[in-house]
Amino acid sequence: MDQENIFFFAQEIEFTLESEESVANWLLSILGQNEQEADCINFIFCSDEDLLQLNREHLDHDYLTDILTFPLSPPDEALMADIYISVDRVIENANTFGVSFRDELHRVMVHGILHLIGYEDGTDADKTAMREQESKALAMRTF
């Protein structure tokens, strides 16, 4: 798989992802372990305000969130998606949970990837399975 299938953008904020190539390769390895391929996955880093607006428009939810994942590919095809992440929310959650910004950002990013490959977080059991997969993926990082 080619890291060029995963892209990183900042929307109306100043933000640069550290180690883009390493992060892309790590996320692609998680997809590969789950027998998934990426066609084009866009990570868009934005503000709380931008993500709240998307949450209202697309999900009819009126609350802050750290991530919204929009799958764009048909089932059983290489993955295409837009994944929006609120940098504001990641900063606040990192402080709340006592973890580094980097670790919380990577957890949120892999959370979006896990949604694309079929993991859900609607029930307590789903949330537990999602957290286990997030922890497993974070442990795989070599950068």
Side-chain angles (χ1 to χ4, degrees), residues 79-114:
L79 297 172
M80 294 187 334
D82 288 337
I83 299 175
Y84 289 83
I85 296 175
S86 167
V87 174
D88 299 327
R89 197 80 349 242
V90 172
I91 291 167
E92 186 167 311
N93 288 343
N95 290 332
T96 298
F97 301 130
V99 298
S100 70
F101 171 80
R102 176 183 175 267
D103 284 352
E104 182 64 9
L105 179 63
H106 290 173
R107 184 194 65 75
V108 171
M109 293 176 78
V110 80
H111 184 91
I113 292 294
L114 291 169

Side-chain angles (χ1 to χ4, degrees), residues 9-76:
F9 303 96
Q11 177 176 292
E12 299 182 24
I13 63 168
E14 290 291 323
F15 180 78
T16 303
L17 179 67
E18 291 182 25
S19 308
E20 282 187 10
E21 185 175 344
S22 295
V23 171
N25 286 330
W26 168 62
L27 295 171
L28 287 168
S29 72
I30 293 163
L31 290 172
Q33 288 180 354
N34 287 275
E35 299 179 7
Q36 298 284 327
E37 291 186 21
D39 181 355
C40 178
I41 298 175
N42 298 309
F43 283 88
I44 301 108
F45 301 101
C46 61
S47 68
D48 269 350
E49 183 179 310
D50 288 335
L51 203 54
L52 177 59
Q53 187 61 35
L54 287 170
N55 210 9
R56 287 173 176 155
E57 286 175 14
H58 296 280
L59 300 176
D60 206 25
H61 295 162
D62 193 19
Y63 54 81
L64 296 172
T65 187
D66 51 6
I67 185 169
L68 289 176
T69 303
F70 296 101
L72 304 172
S73 52
D76 301 322

